[in-house]
Amino acid sequence: MLSCKELVAHSSDFLDGQLGFRQRLAVRVHLASCRNCRRFIRQMRVTQAVLRKLPDSAIPELDALAERLAQQRRQSTQD
């Protein structure tokens, strides 16, 4: 049986359908018994879905917003 660490290492390939039969089976067996890893995989699926909906081209306003948020975070961790 896979450990949680091994599942995380295989998670991207699992979600992309790139695992062989035995590896997929091992992941599914682990997920059947591990609530935390099921939650992790659900979160990964949501993340993938959100990323697929993002526009292909860069949006200047988003870049500026990301930079402002990063600056605020740096300032709050320094205080």
Side-chain angles (χ1 to χ4, degrees), residues 1-31:
M1 184 156 146
L2 290 178
S3 68
C4 294
K5 186 175 182 176
E6 291 169 322
L7 180 121
V8 169
H10 293 296
S11 62
S12 291
D13 291 336
F14 174 71
L15 293 170
D16 293 340
Q18 297 179 345
L19 293 180
F21 175 77
R22 286 184 178 205
Q23 290 174 314
R24 266 193 334 269
L25 183 60
V27 167
R28 290 184 183 276
V29 167
H30 181 88
L31 290 173

Side-chain angles (χ1 to χ4, degrees), residues 32-45:
S33 64
C34 184
R35 181 174 45 134
N36 291 330
C37 287
R38 284 193 304 271
R39 185 180 309 129
F40 172 75
I41 291 295
R42 273 194 309 271
Q43 290 170 341
M44 291 287 291
R45 284 187 174 129

